[in-house]
């Protein structure tokens, strides 16, 4: 794991935007894996700004989102499709049909299973994901892979944990139906990405971040599965990094990595 610790949440967003643009510049038909939630909003804002100032085009980019709530329409105010359209897709030149969010409106298990299989097949057909953007839940989830999810899991129906339902309650009106099920890429699906970039900001994430980076490889912290990925970058602000035991070491490694990049091996 490459652990990058930056002064602020804004620096985290800028760093992630640079990584996304690097992938777009390097590939003819880049494939991005995208996340929703509060953390990547600043990244998407930055990408929209760079698109508007003509620093990047998404014309040839395909995207796959991690997850979607089961049982609400794409057009629902709180669907992840609506979130992505609002924060990114409608403001850039990506071709709408090249954006994928799991189709999860149905309440029929058979239809949802087929939708999950089709999602996996679409990722394969696109050539796999070049860069998967991730956030982390308070309980260590990635996508909606809650604690005890299999590290080999693929896109499937997942029951949300109480902690996730409570954390996301703020987005739903009082008395409004709040889904307790989601269709999510599996941990195995995420690990297949050629590179992953997990962003975490704020003190509330510090425990989960510590468990992910320094804890044992454990299904109790799904994000710890990223320890198995060859090209996983974890980019943190100071608060999210505050409980790391080896914080100074990660900063030292980053200095050395930059020196190596400049050809200096001293
Ligand atoms: C969202 C997702 C989730 C979030 C996580 C953190 O697509 O996959 O794993 O990344 O719940 O959410 P925030 O950023 O709101 O703290």
């Amino acid at each position: 794991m490459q652990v990058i610790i930056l002064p602020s949440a804004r620096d985290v967003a800028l760093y992630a935007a640079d990584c996304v643009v690097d992938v777009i510049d390097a590939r003819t038909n880049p494939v991005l894996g995208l996340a929703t939630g509060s953390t990547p909003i600043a990244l998407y804002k930055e990408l929209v700004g760079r698109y508007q100032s003509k620093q990047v085009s998404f014309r040839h980019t395909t995207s796959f989102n991690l997850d979607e709530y089961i049982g609400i329409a794409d057009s629902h105010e709180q669907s992840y499709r609506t979130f992505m359209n609002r924060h990114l897709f409608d403001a850039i030149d990506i071709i709408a049909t090249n954006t994928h969010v799991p189709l999860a409106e149905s309440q029929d298990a058979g239809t949802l299973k087929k939708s999950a299989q089709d999602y996996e097949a679409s990722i394969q057909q696109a050539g796999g994901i070049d860069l998967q953007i991730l956030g982390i839940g308070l309980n260590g989830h990635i996508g909606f892979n809650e604690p005890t999810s299999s590290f080999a899991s693929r896109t499937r129906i997942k029951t949300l944990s109480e902690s996730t339902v409570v954390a996301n309650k703020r987005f739903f009106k009082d008395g409004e139906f709040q889904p307790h099920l989601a269709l999510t890429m599996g941990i195995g699906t995420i690990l297949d990405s050629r590179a992953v970039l997990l962003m975490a900001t704020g003190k509330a994430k510090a425990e989960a971040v510590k468990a992910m980076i320094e804890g044992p490889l454990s299904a109790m912290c799904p994000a710890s599965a990223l320890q198995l990925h060859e090209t996983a970058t974890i980019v943190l602000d100071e608060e999210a990094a505050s409980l790391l035991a080896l914080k100074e070491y990660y900063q030292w490694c980053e200095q050395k990595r930059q020196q190596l990049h400049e050809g200096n091996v001293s």
Side-chain angles (χ1 to χ4, degrees), residues 35-39 66-67 135-137 141-143 170 205:
T36 58
S38 309
T39 315
L66 284 164
D67 40 23
I136 183 169
H141 72 214
I142 46 174
R170 63 201 152 118
K205 295 292 171 68

Side-chain angles (χ1 to χ4, degrees), residues 13 34 38-39 44 54 65 74 78 95 116 124 129 153 165 199 202 224 257:
L34 299 174
S38 309
T39 315
Y44 298 149
K54 298 194 170 20
N65 263 80
D74 269 7
Q78 295 309 332
I95 297 169
Q124 292 296 317
I129 292 171
S153 52
V165 172
M199 309 166 68
S224 69
R257 200 185 64 85

Side-chain angles (χ1 to χ4, degrees), residues 144-250:
F144 272 139
N145 295 286
E146 300 287 23
T148 73
S149 290
S150 161
F151 284 7
S153 52
R154 312 300 308 185
T155 304
R156 70 206 183 292
I157 301 168
K158 191 72 199 158
T159 304
L160 305 185
S161 71
E162 198 186 342
S163 127
T164 302
V165 172
V166 170
N168 290 353
K169 213 179 179 67
R170 63 201 152 118
F171 298 115
F172 292 85
K173 297 188 196 93
D174 276 351
E176 188 179 17
F177 166 69
Q178 183 186 354
H180 290 186
L181 297 175
L183 209 62
T184 180
M185 277 187 205
I187 297 178
T189 321
I190 293 169
L191 291 179
D192 281 351
S193 306
R194 281 183 276 282
V196 298
L197 177 76
L198 185 144
M199 309 166 68
T201 57
K203 193 138 195 72
K205 295 292 171 68
E207 290 278 0
V209 163
K210 182 172 173 53
M212 163 177 62
I213 298 172
E214 297 178 339
L217 194 59
S218 164
M220 284 304 281
C221 177
S224 69
L226 300 182
Q227 293 173 21
L228 296 169
H229 199 290
E230 207 180 5
T231 323
T233 303
I234 313 295
V235 56
L236 308 168
D237 69 359
E238 287 283 354
E239 288 189 345
S242 58
L243 297 180
L244 291 173
L246 301 184
K247 196 174 155 195
E248 281 74 28
Y249 173 65
Y250 308 132

Side-chain angles (χ1 to χ4, degrees), residues 256-266:
K256 286 285 167 204
R257 200 185 64 85
Q258 277 172 21
Q259 281 176 11
L260 279 172
H261 186 66
E262 286 155 14
N264 175 359
V265 285
S266 61

